[in-house]
Amino acid sequence: QVQLVESGGGLVQPGGSLRLSCAASGRIFRIDLMAWYRQAPGKERELVASITRLGNTNYVDSVKGRFTISRDVTKNAVYLQMNSLKPEDTAVYYCNAYISPTLLSAPSNYWGQGTQVTVSS
């Protein structure tokens, strides 16, 4: 059983910062791509940022220059540093990862439960 657990969400004023964390636990042999998605009320879930095992990153245009994704391979963790937050960043943020439980297993896609980020004055 593999679990992804997020933390670090909350209420912040416009221009503020938050750091989201996500840790994977359970039977894990290898984690490939890790990513953060978000879903605002009435909108579809969108990819915010992703990072490969080698550290190559990708961001949606709306967060470039403000958000930074990073990971700690030794801790099976991924982080999202969010700076200069805007009200339009308000959403539930979800951690996502492709995880192989064993050497011979193909990777499966896992989701965290989500953490609320609210940007408001």
Side-chain angles (χ1 to χ4, degrees):
Q1 184 93 14
V2 173
Q3 282 190 316
L4 297 177
V5 179
E6 301 108 332
S7 61
L11 173 64
V12 64
Q13 293 187 341
S17 298
L18 282 175
R19 185 176 188 247
L20 304 183
S21 299
C22 172
S25 63
R27 192 176 187 186
I28 298 170
F29 172 74
R30 177 189 172 96
I31 302 178
D32 294 309
L33 190 71
M34 301 189 83
W36 288 95
Y37 286 73
R38 66 185 179 187
Q39 187 166 21
K43 294 188 177 181
E44 293 186 354
R45 191 172 296 189
E46 68 167 349
L47 174 64
V48 176
S50 63
I51 184 167
T52 68
R53 186 173 178 84
L54 295 179
N56 297 313
T57 59
N58 184 55
Y59 298 90
V60 67
D61 286 346
S62 60
V63 308
K64 286 180 180 177
R66 300 188 298 122
F67 290 11
T68 302
I69 189 170
S70 60
R71 67 188 285 179
D72 186 331
V73 176
T74 64
K75 296 181 178 179
N76 293 330
V78 64
Y79 309 96
L80 187 67
Q81 178 66 43
M82 304 185 294
N83 299 327
S84 302
L85 282 161
K86 304 176 180 179
E88 51 263 43
D89 295 317
T90 295
V92 178
Y93 284 71
Y94 297 91
C95 177
N96 178 269
Y98 284 86
I99 299 173
S100 300
T102 68
L103 174 62
L104 299 179
S105 300
S108 296
N109 193 229
Y110 294 89
W111 291 92
Q113 81 286 355
T115 184
Q116 177 69 46
V117 171
T118 302
V119 185
S120 175
S121 55

